[in-house]
Amino acid sequence: MAERGSLRERNRRAVEREISEAAMRLFVEQGFAATTTDQIATEAGISPRSLFRYAGTKEDIVLGDMLAAGHAVQAALRDRPAAEGPWEALRAALQVLADDPDNTSERAFRIAEMFLHTPSLRARRLEKRLGWLDLLVPEIERRLGHAPGEVPDPAAHAIVSCALACLDTATEVWVRRGGQGDLTEIFDEAIRAVRG
């Protein structure tokens, strides 16, 4: 039974990936605002009704993996050595985003460029990114020697918020430079500025 569930999940991920790739092709060719969900469905070879079973909006198509990415960062953070400081552990855990094989430099640039130039995407991304605080703050609290509670420790919350702001800043700088330079190095530069 579990095997069938995992097959169903693999099939779902394959369809989501096809939808995402079809949407990205259209977004790159026509722009985000000019692309309709009907066009995405046609490009993906599915009905508009089927499209809405996988993603409710165009923004969801682009941002669909953000929760999974947040869980990946959380798992990587948990796996960091206990003696590692909170900043070092969080910085290393965030590296899983850069190491994602689906996140090629060109794809990452195109998506980041869309975020920069599309207010609705920026807003939805921020909303989804705020969910990462619930995932990451308790891990940083443990690292700081605090028991996670209903009210987050201000130091842990500040560290996670700053690290995510550094990530967003680095991405925006990288896009404004036309994708030139190493995004990880720009991120590290932003973290050094905050910690300095």
Side-chain angles (χ1 to χ4, degrees):
M1 193 73 155
E3 199 172 315
R4 214 168 77 195
S6 74
L7 176 61
R8 183 178 298 131
E9 185 57 32
R10 284 196 308 266
N11 287 339
R12 180 176 181 79
R13 283 195 305 263
V15 171
E16 287 171 347
R17 182 172 309 215
E18 286 177 28
I19 291 169
S20 177
E21 289 171 1
M24 288 304 298
R25 281 193 301 274
L26 290 170
F27 295 153
V28 169
E29 289 171 15
Q30 304 175 168
F32 183 82
T35 301
T36 67
T37 53
D38 285 347
Q39 289 172 323
I40 295 167
T42 300
E43 182 79 9
I46 60 174
S47 70
R49 185 175 175 163
S50 293
L51 176 69
F52 286 110
R53 279 197 299 248
Y54 292 97
T57 65
K58 292 188 299 184
E59 288 84 0
D60 290 334
I61 293 170
V62 177
L63 296 167
D65 291 341
M66 275 198 76
L67 182 58
H71 282 287
V73 173
Q74 180 190 42
L77 184 56
R78 279 189 188 134
D79 290 344
R80 298 304 304 167
E84 203 168 40
W87 277 101
E88 292 74 18
L90 189 54
R91 162 59 186 85
L94 285 166
Q95 185 63 36
V96 301
L97 302 175
D99 294 342
D100 181 353
D102 290 336
N103 198 17
T104 64
S105 184
E106 183 176 339
R107 179 178 168 78
F109 178 76
R110 297 279 185 211
I111 292 172
E113 191 176 38
M114 273 194 303
F115 286 135
L116 185 62
H117 301 297
T118 311
S120 64
L121 271 178
R122 284 180 82 135
R124 288 281 291 175
R125 181 179 184 216
L126 178 60
E127 178 187 320
K128 286 185 176 263
R129 183 63 68 75
L130 287 174
W132 286 21
L133 291 172
D134 295 334
L135 299 172
L136 304 178
V137 168
E139 299 302 322
I140 296 300
E141 285 176 326
R142 282 189 210 37
R143 230 163 249 286
L144 292 172
H146 304 295
E150 258 184 58
V151 178
D153 172 70
H157 197 281
I159 289 169
V160 174
S161 295
C162 284
L164 295 178
C166 287
L167 182 61
D168 289 341
T169 298
T171 303
E172 183 170 337
V173 167
W174 181 63
V175 168
R176 290 187 186 279
R177 290 179 181 172
Q180 298 300 306
D182 185 305
L183 181 54
T184 301
E185 288 177 12
I186 300 169
F187 176 53
D188 286 339
E189 185 180 341
I191 286 181
R192 282 193 301 273
V194 167
R195 294 188 69 190

